[in-house]
Amino acid sequence: MEAAGAVVWRPDPNDRTGKDVQLAVVHRPRYDDWSLPKGKLEPGEPAWAGAVREVAEETGSLVALGRHLGQVRYRVTRPVRATKVVDYYAARHTGGGFAPNEEVDELRWCSPQDAAELLSYHHDSGIVSSFTALPADLTTLLVVRHAKAGSRDQWDGPDVERPLSENGRRQLPALRALAGLYGADRVYSAPLVRCVDTVAGIADDAGVPVLDEPLLSEEAYQGAEERAVARLRELAAGGGTPVVCSQGGVIPDLLSRVAGDLPMPMRRLESKKGSVWALFFTVDGGARLVAADYVRRP
C-alpha cells in the first residue's frame, strides 16, 4: 500500500527573528491519533503529487513542495493487513485554511519539538527530525533535461532548431504539473528549440518569459564549466523557484561540480530525457547545495 505525506511548515508568526517555524499536526478521529498529513496514493499517482493532494484534503493548506524527507514502512490492519509505504516531503504553507472534515477534526501548528512530542508514532517523529536537520527555508532550483526530440539523422535543418517529437510532447504535461507543485516562478533555457519548448508551458503557468541561458547548451558549456556553475549558483541565490532546461551533455557534469562533497542520491548522475533534478540551496552567505532529489519520470 503506497501513500505520501508532508511536513507542512510556516514561519512562526510569534517569532520576530524570522527563523523559527511551526509544523502542522493533525488529529484523526477514526484512529484517535496525532499524525503528519498523509494518505493513500490514487492508482498511477506519483508520490510528489499525492503528497500535495493529501495535504490539501486533510488540512486545507496550499503548499509549495520541498525536498524528499524519507520513506517509512509499517504494518497496518485496516482496511486490510498490508505493509504501508509512505514517502514524505517538506511542504511550505502558501495559503488556505483548515476546516474539520471526515478524516481530520483538529489541526495544531506546533514548534518542531512540540510536534515531535505530540505525534503518536515514532516514525513520524523521525521524519520531523529529518526535516529539522536542514534549514526550513531553502531555495529550490529545478534542472530539467529537455523532453524527447526527433532523431538527428531524420532532421535536415540546424540542430538548434530540432523540435520535440510526439513522444516528447507527451512528456510535457507531467513536467508542467511537477514544476507547478514546486512553485516555479522563473524559467531559463539553453537556446535550442527543443529546450525552450520543453519549459514553455511552465513559463506560461508562472506568467513569465523563457529567458535564454547560453551556458546551458552543450556547445557553450565546454570550456566554460566553472562559469556555468557560478551562473547556476547565481540563479539559486536570486530566491524563488527557478527552472533551468539543458541537455544531457551538460547536466551530469554541471550537477557534480555544483554538488562538491555533497553525496548525491545516485552514484552516477542520471539525466533521462524529460527528467528533473530538484536542487535545494541555502542562500545565506552564498548559494550552497544541501540536498537534491531526482525525478526520473514526472
Side-chain angles (χ1 to χ4, degrees):
M1 182 185 300
E2 294 182 324
V7 173
V8 181
W9 67 275
R10 70 181 187 184
D12 185 340
N14 300 314
D15 174 44
R16 295 183 179 181
T17 69
K19 295 180 179 180
D20 292 343
V21 300
Q22 294 179 328
L23 311 184
V25 180
V26 298
H27 182 261
R28 303 183 301 174
R30 180 180 180 184
Y31 303 104
D32 190 23
D33 63 8
W34 288 93
S35 167
L36 297 172
K38 65 177 181 295
K40 188 170 67 173
L41 297 179
E42 295 178 351
E45 183 179 39
W48 42 267
V52 173
R53 176 184 55 77
E54 284 291 338
V55 164
E57 291 177 1
E58 291 194 355
T59 72
S61 287
L62 304 176
V63 297
L65 203 64
R67 62 191 175 92
H68 186 249
L69 297 174
Q71 186 182 82
V72 300
R73 296 171 177 263
Y74 54 93
R75 296 290 295 173
V76 295
T77 58
R78 290 182 287 181
V80 296
R81 292 182 180 273
T83 298
K84 193 167 189 175
V85 181
V86 189
D87 283 282
Y88 283 98
Y89 296 83
R92 176 172 52 85
H93 175 84
T94 59
F98 174 72
N101 54 74
E102 289 185 2
E103 295 185 63
V104 175
D105 62 353
E106 186 178 352
L107 180 149
R108 292 185 188 175
W109 287 101
C110 309
S111 70
Q113 180 178 348
D114 289 345
E117 293 175 357
L118 179 62
L119 289 165
S120 300
Y121 306 108
H122 178 71
H123 53 252
D124 278 358
S125 298
I127 293 297
V128 171
S129 294
S130 179
F131 172 80
T132 57
L134 291 174
D137 197 13
L138 301 174
T139 291
T140 303
L141 185 150
L142 303 180
V143 178
V144 181
R145 183 179 175 187
H146 68 74
K148 295 179 180 178
S151 169
R152 292 189 183 189
D153 295 338
Q154 298 178 5
W155 175 251
D156 294 332
D159 186 60
V160 296
E161 297 178 4
R162 183 157 52 95
L164 297 176
S165 66
E166 184 176 344
N167 285 338
R169 294 200 170 275
R170 281 198 286 265
Q171 293 179 289
L172 301 186
L175 284 170
R176 195 168 178 172
L178 178 68
L181 294 184
Y182 281 102
D185 58 9
R186 290 180 285 135
V187 182
Y188 304 84
S189 174
L192 293 85
V193 167
R194 56 190 179 276
C195 290
V196 173
D197 287 354
T198 294
V199 292
I202 297 172
D204 287 344
D205 291 342
V208 297
V210 179
L211 301 177
D212 278 354
E213 198 55 59
L215 287 173
L216 297 177
S217 71
E218 291 175 348
E219 182 177 2
Y221 182 76
Q222 301 301 321
E225 293 87 351
E226 292 308 315
R227 288 173 55 207
V229 168
R231 179 57 177 153
L232 197 71
R233 293 188 188 279
E234 182 181 16
L235 295 178
T241 305
V243 178
V244 300
C245 187
S246 186
Q247 299 178 266
V250 173
I251 293 173
D253 184 74
L254 175 62
L255 265 57
S256 67
R257 292 172 184 269
V258 172
D261 296 331
L262 177 72
M264 296 295 275
M266 298 181 177
R267 290 182 181 178
R268 188 173 73 84
L269 294 178
E270 285 195 49
S271 180
K272 299 291 185 181
K273 290 179 179 177
S275 66
V276 178
W277 277 95
L279 307 181
F280 304 96
F281 293 82
T282 59
V283 293
D284 291 339
R288 181 172 66 90
L289 184 68
V290 293
D293 298 332
Y294 180 59
V295 186
R296 181 172 179 174
R297 293 186 180 90

